[in-house]
Amino acid sequence: MKFNAKDLALLARRPSGCFDKEGKLKICRVVGDEKLIEPRERWCRLKGNLLFLMKNKNRSLYLVEELITFPSACPSPAPDKIASKKSSEASEVVILERCWIVEFRSKTDVSIVLKFQSGEPDLYIEAASKPDCESWAVALGEANSEGLQNKIQQLRRLIMEIKEERSSDEARQFLPSSQIDSLGEPQFTSIQRIADEPKLEFSLACKDLVAATRDRKLNTFIQVSVVHPAEHILTRYSSTEIVEGTRDPLFLTGVTFPPEYPIYEETKIKLTVYDVKDKSQDTVCTSVLPDHKEPRADVGRSFLGCTTFRVGDLVKSKEQQLTLTLRTSDGGKTVGTIEVNLVKMGELEDGETDHITTDGQDQKCALVRECTTTEGISGKDNLPSLNAVLKNPICKLYRFPTSDNKWMRIREQMAETTLSFHVPKELINLHIKEDMRRNQELKDLGELAPHWDNMRKSVIAHCDQMLSMYQDTLAELGKHTGSSFKSSCSKGEKTLEFIPINLHLQRMHVHSPRLKDALYDVITVGAPAAHFQGFKNGGLRKLLSKFEAERRNTGYQCIYYSPENTAKAKEVLSNINHLQPLISSHADLLLNSASQHSPDSLKNSLKMLSEKTELFVHAFKDQLVRSALLALYTARPGCVLKKPAGPRNSAEEGGDLQHQDHPSQIKRQDSIPHHSEYDEEEWDRVWANVGKSLNCVIAMVDRLLEKDSISNIKEGENDPSAADCNVLHTGGDWYEQLYPLVITLKDCMGEVVTRAKQSMAFVLLQELACGLPQCLMLTLRRDIVFSQALAGLVCGFVIKLHTGLRDQGFLQQLHSVGLLVQYEGLLSTYSEEAGMLEDMAVGISDLQKVMFKVIEAKSEDFLPIITGRREHYIIEVQLPAKMFELLPQEIKEGKLLRMYPVLFNVGINEQQTLAERFGDTTLQENINQENLELLKEYYKLFTEKMPPDCLPHFQEQNDLKGLLENLHQNIQAKKRKNVEIMWLAATICRKLNGVRFTCCKSAKDRTSMSVTLEQCSILRDEHQLHKDFFIRALDCMRRCQQVIKQGFSVKILELRRIFFKYSEGISGAGSDLSSFPLLATQLLKL
């Protein structure tokens, strides 16, 4: 073998950064067991498969040489003495080819021997310490040319396998389509699983792992990669948790592939085992990037071994288990085995062993399966409608030991919801229609005096600007494509301000060997708040209070109406718009029945007409309408004014219009006079005419039916054929006699509608004029917050309805009492988060005015339908026919279902510490106290209308009344960061079949910490999780939650590919348990 001596000498003097490893070693030649000379210290440098033995043993000399020879690589100043060039040269170069390393088994021995196949004397190498010796042994072993050749051969084999698989695909393009179909090559074999269930799930365990050094305790995890048969690209998919201190790790985190994941029997899965050197610095992550090379060793982990298997081999295996051999990357050395166990949630996995402990070395469990026929939690029929709401699920699989040494399986699922965008778009569309209708009503007020007319023009101009903004926002949302949620980094975007932040379903499916399967759902969402508008002046709670005080006390040139009266005016207008077309249609049906001379149809039409007309008349039984008519009359131009009204005192100013007996007592400025010639009884006459007209119609119908009955009896006895002729003859008489009465009814109703609309529109004009532009900005802010809150509520209701569809007790509770919706807030009361909490409190409170209605779907579109107006929305949830038939008759008949939202907030982060020490926590205390009263009201209603046996059977051990009292005491205690409030409120909600929400600023760090702790606590309290495994189970879930939550909020679409390949990416920061010590320690004590 020939070498260029000059090149080798130059290579030996390269800077330190150019070498793979260097250091001081004692070296000598050995023949047999005898050393030819005593070991001599030399500075050794390893580059590739070349080991340079330098003449001098001091590293400083070579650093000096680097300064002289390579000044750009060493920018430090020149030394004061220069070593001779001779002393820095290599005395010997050892070529690491066809050689192997012999390690001594003694724990104290720090030497190795390098043996050569050529018969040359062995090279004795002695290091300064045992770790140094081990690192040199690994470096020399990897530098051996034989090892490199083995790696090259292994890669060549993989390339050939891929080429062979691709060759058939490439040849297919030259075949006719008929031959291609006959070959069936592109058709991969699907995995047959239950609909909407994961396609493949398996658990992992390793045995007899071999460490790089004999005495090292391994901290291992498995990275799972997928080779798709159509793409032949290795994609990192997921990873297990880290198991410390054992060569036989049993991993609690499994691998699951969701229903939509493109996995087939031909798909190959690669399992790579890593040893984490420093867990605190480990970055166990996954990526959608092709797995072209192994991770670098400098990231805190080292490669142990890998193996590959086909999915079809696992699915078709008799034992549903594969035992695979782990090998090094060159495919030569065996480093242990790995067990892959197919998992099905419908089967039991029993661990009959006494070695279930937290010690990693005693984690060997016998996995014996017993097939069971557990009934599914929810039927298959609900999949289409539920899939219309949920999408892109992310699943994680765990197996945890129980207290009786059995295994329970947990499938954790997080899913996006299409409602994040659907509900806000529907709401904005309703806002636009409502505002356009209001603007038209203001224009239809007619002629007004100059003062009021100018006011109207100003209001309409501002309203048109707001209307244009709503229309622009709706247009931008219509252009949105991509993910179906808003990430936390987008919370400040104006075009997305109506969209909730990180709205997701967090579901835990528990399969226990001793208990029935159970589902636990938590909706996670960022706190509903107007982030784009900011919180410089606080949130809605403060802004609304301040605005109302200014309206009451400032001398605006308009009439003051209380918020209650304004809301009443909106309700009257809504009733008019709803009832007037109904009454007209029923009146037409009545005439149609009269023309057909159908007594039964006539009776039914009259009944419906009477009911709607009575509702119509009742809607105007309010002093507000009469007072508003008087105010509108005085605002007309040219009216004769007798004398102005005197000033009102403060006591009168604070009165309620609904309790005033005289219209002249309306609250107004001195500029609004009372006209003495106004006929106060005119409205009563117009309003009463509707009822009188209806009575005339009823009397005429009764008379016609009575005459018809008598006539049929008489003429039928004499001549049946004559009776038939009489029917044809008198049909026209019925229509002719009813027609003028119906027209009169419509005319009277039209007169009432005209006057009532104008009077209520005048009330709304005062509300808008008194607070321009603050009033419209507050309305916008409230719409934004309500939109975010409603999207979450609709999502929670739909999921709860599907989950409890076969629970008759829950369905009875739903229509008899209503649904409890409990929000767990984790916001602090410091700085901007205090404003967020104020927004959130108002938004959740506004949900009390939302009603739900379940209808049968008439098409394949199962998305909810929203109708109504501000402060009065009805959400129509569509169900397929088979599911709709399962509902009680009351719900099927369209009974409106009430919601009872409650919010309990406890700040837990470092900002809350500042608020408690230097700020104010009154806001949080008031919110918790107010919502406690609402919760007590719901419980009282629940106990009055529901039997005691309707509660879940495994939760009867605790007394709800006692829990409420405990919650009351904790709220009154005003203890710092009292997380007991959150736990008690959540427990009460679950016991009352409620919907759970967990919210923080972005539904990311604090939310994931709270949800995982709640899940593990449920497993411990309800499903007998082994007490020694509580912390480890919490770590497993939090590790996955940390990755997933970051993904959903800041890195979602890229990280979704980590688990399921479907998404796009953005970036984010991580969370750490140390950031929440109080939350963790307090809740762990429960």
Side-chain angles (χ1 to χ4, degrees), residues 726-990:
N726 188 58
V727 169
L728 297 176
H729 176 70
T730 59
D733 296 339
W734 281 19
Y735 180 86
E736 292 173 359
Q737 295 183 59
L738 279 175
Y739 179 78
L741 298 179
V742 171
I743 294 300
T744 302
L745 174 62
K746 288 184 176 182
D747 291 342
C748 294
M749 184 179 63
E751 180 68 18
V752 171
V753 166
T754 300
R755 298 194 179 206
K757 268 191 172 184
Q758 289 182 345
S759 64
M760 295 300 97
F762 190 73
V763 173
L764 298 185
L765 175 64
Q766 310 309 310
E767 179 202 26
L768 295 170
C770 287
L772 284 178
Q774 296 91 337
C775 179
L776 293 177
M777 294 306 298
L778 283 177
T779 301
L780 171 63
R781 188 183 189 102
R782 198 164 189 170
D783 287 344
I784 291 170
V785 175
F786 179 77
S787 172
Q788 299 177 24
L790 183 63
L793 177 64
V794 176
C795 176
F797 178 86
V798 171
I799 293 170
K800 186 66 177 179
L801 180 63
H802 283 78
T803 304
L805 200 58
R806 288 170 173 78
D807 186 350
Q808 295 302 318
F810 165 73
L811 295 176
Q812 180 185 353
Q813 174 187 351
L814 187 61
H815 70 79
S816 300
V817 185
L819 183 64
L820 177 66
V821 185
Q822 186 252 327
Y823 289 81
E824 176 183 299
L826 303 173
L827 293 171
S828 68
T829 55
Y830 183 80
S831 188
E832 286 191 347
E833 289 198 8
M836 297 177 200
L837 181 57
E838 291 178 350
D839 276 359
M840 182 179 179
V842 174
I844 292 175
S845 177
D846 287 345
L847 295 177
Q848 298 178 32
K849 302 169 185 177
V850 176
M851 309 289 280
F852 279 80
K853 182 179 180 182
V854 184
I855 62 175
E856 182 177 354
K858 303 301 182 183
S859 66
E860 296 300 319
D861 184 7
F862 299 106
L863 289 175
I865 301 171
I866 305 178
T867 59
R869 57 175 178 81
R870 289 182 180 91
E871 301 179 1
H872 186 73
Y873 288 105
I874 297 177
I875 316 298
E876 297 181 352
V877 177
Q878 303 185 82
L879 291 182
K882 292 183 179 180
M883 296 176 62
F884 189 76
E885 290 301 320
L886 300 175
L887 297 174
Q889 191 62 32
E890 292 86 350
I891 298 180
K892 288 195 288 187
E893 291 176 353
K895 183 175 181 179
L896 296 180
L897 311 176
R898 288 198 59 188
M899 300 294 108
Y900 293 86
V902 293
L903 166 64
F904 294 96
N905 186 85
V906 176
I908 60 172
N909 63 355
E910 64 279 1
Q911 287 190 335
Q912 185 62 23
T913 303
L914 295 175
E916 291 172 345
R917 293 183 178 179
F918 310 110
D920 185 14
T921 60
T922 306
L923 172 64
Q924 176 176 284
E925 294 167 2
N926 292 340
I927 289 175
N928 291 343
Q929 184 61 46
E930 293 167 6
N931 286 271
L932 174 63
E933 299 303 320
L934 295 176
L935 183 59
K936 288 181 177 179
E937 291 178 10
Y938 180 83
Y939 173 69
K940 180 180 179 182
L941 191 62
F942 179 88
T943 54
E944 291 174 353
K945 296 189 176 183
M946 294 297 296
D949 58 350
C950 67
L951 295 176
H953 69 281
F954 58 86
Q955 295 177 343
E956 292 178 356
Q957 61 222 16
N958 292 324
D959 181 24
L960 270 172
K961 189 174 182 181
L963 289 171
L964 280 169
E965 182 60 31
N966 195 0
L967 178 62
H968 175 77
Q969 293 175 0
N970 276 274
I971 291 176
Q972 293 296 324
K974 299 181 180 180
K975 179 182 175 182
R976 289 185 176 181
K977 294 186 179 180
N978 190 0
V979 293
E980 183 86 9
I981 294 174
M982 296 190 302
W983 180 251
L984 288 170
T987 304
I988 293 171
C989 176
R990 286 195 299 271

Side-chain angles (χ1 to χ4, degrees), residues 546-566:
K546 181 180 178 180
F547 174 74
E548 186 59 31
E550 290 177 351
R551 281 189 61 208
R552 183 186 298 270
N553 299 324
T554 306
Y556 293 106
Q557 294 300 310
C558 59
I559 304 174
Y560 172 80
Y561 289 96
S562 67
E564 294 78 11
N565 285 329
T566 303

Side-chain angles (χ1 to χ4, degrees), residues 409-424:
R409 294 200 186 103
I410 295 92
R411 182 186 296 151
E412 190 180 26
Q413 173 182 330
M414 179 179 286
E416 304 170 14
T417 172
T418 56
L419 299 176
S420 292
F421 280 82
H422 173 73
V423 170

Side-chain angles (χ1 to χ4, degrees), residues 22-41:
E22 60 180 332
K24 188 184 296 184
L25 297 173
K26 290 183 178 181
I27 295 180
C28 69
R29 291 288 180 174
V30 178
V31 176
D33 295 333
E34 296 183 2
K35 301 176 183 177
L36 297 181
I37 59 174
E38 285 298 319
R40 181 180 177 183
E41 282 191 351

Side-chain angles (χ1 to χ4, degrees), residues 34 80 91 166 386 408 418 449 492 639 684 713 729 796 896 909:
E34 296 183 2
D80 54 357
S91 64
R166 284 185 174 178
L386 195 58
M408 64 175 165
T418 56
C639 65
D684 293 334
I713 294 175
H729 176 70
L896 296 180
N909 63 355

Side-chain angles (χ1 to χ4, degrees), residues 305-517:
C306 63
T307 186
T308 305
F309 69 91
R310 288 178 69 256
V311 171
D313 296 337
L314 176 62
V315 174
K316 295 179 180 179
S317 62
K318 184 177 181 181
E319 300 296 331
Q320 296 186 339
Q321 176 180 332
L322 295 178
T323 301
L324 308 171
T325 301
L326 287 170
R327 297 185 182 275
T328 54
S329 57
D330 58 9
K333 186 178 179 182
T334 300
V335 295
T337 60
I338 184 168
E339 291 184 357
V340 184
N341 296 279
L342 189 66
V343 173
K344 296 180 181 179
M345 291 294 284
E347 297 179 354
L348 292 179
E349 186 177 13
D350 293 338
E352 296 292 352
T353 176
D354 297 330
H355 299 290
I356 301 181
T357 66
T358 54
D359 188 358
Q361 298 181 2
D362 295 327
Q363 291 178 350
K364 301 176 182 178
C365 297
L367 307 182
V368 182
R369 289 172 177 77
E370 296 179 359
C371 292
T372 59
T373 57
T374 55
E375 183 180 357
I377 295 178
S378 57
K380 300 178 183 179
D381 296 332
N382 65 353
L383 297 183
S385 57
L386 195 58
N387 289 339
V389 175
L390 301 178
K391 62 182 299 187
N392 294 336
I394 285 183
C395 298
K396 293 299 292 184
L397 180 69
Y398 310 98
R399 53 175 176 174
F400 297 144
T402 60
S403 56
D404 56 353
N405 292 345
K406 302 290 183 182
W407 287 103
M408 64 175 165
R409 294 200 186 103
I410 295 92
R411 182 186 296 151
E412 190 180 26
Q413 173 182 330
M414 179 179 286
E416 304 170 14
T417 172
T418 56
L419 299 176
S420 292
F421 280 82
H422 173 73
V423 170
K425 287 193 289 188
E426 291 288 306
L427 268 183
I428 295 174
N429 191 37
L430 289 177
H431 293 333
I432 292 173
K433 293 179 180 179
E434 180 180 351
D435 291 348
M436 292 178 67
R437 187 167 53 247
R438 177 196 59 197
N439 290 358
Q440 187 60 44
E441 289 166 353
L442 292 177
K443 295 175 182 178
D444 292 341
L445 277 175
E447 190 176 1
L448 297 176
H451 167 74
W452 299 106
D453 191 50
N454 293 333
M455 181 184 295
R456 175 172 58 178
K457 291 178 181 178
S458 176
V459 168
I460 292 177
H462 282 84
C463 289
D464 286 339
Q465 292 179 3
M466 296 300 296
L467 183 61
S468 177
M469 193 218 68
Y470 280 104
Q471 292 171 338
D472 293 342
T473 301
L474 183 60
E476 290 297 324
L477 292 180
K479 300 175 184 177
H480 178 82
T481 58
S483 62
S484 57
F485 74 100
K486 182 176 76 173
S487 61
S488 61
C489 62
S490 302
K491 61 177 173 281
E493 293 186 15
K494 179 174 177 54
T495 57
L496 299 178
E497 58 185 346
F498 285 84
I499 311 301
I501 302 171
N502 281 331
L503 175 59
H504 296 97
L505 164 68
Q506 178 75 32
R507 168 168 288 180
M508 182 174 68
H509 177 189
V510 184
H511 178 75
S512 301
R514 297 288 184 264
L515 299 173
K516 291 179 62 178
D517 283 16

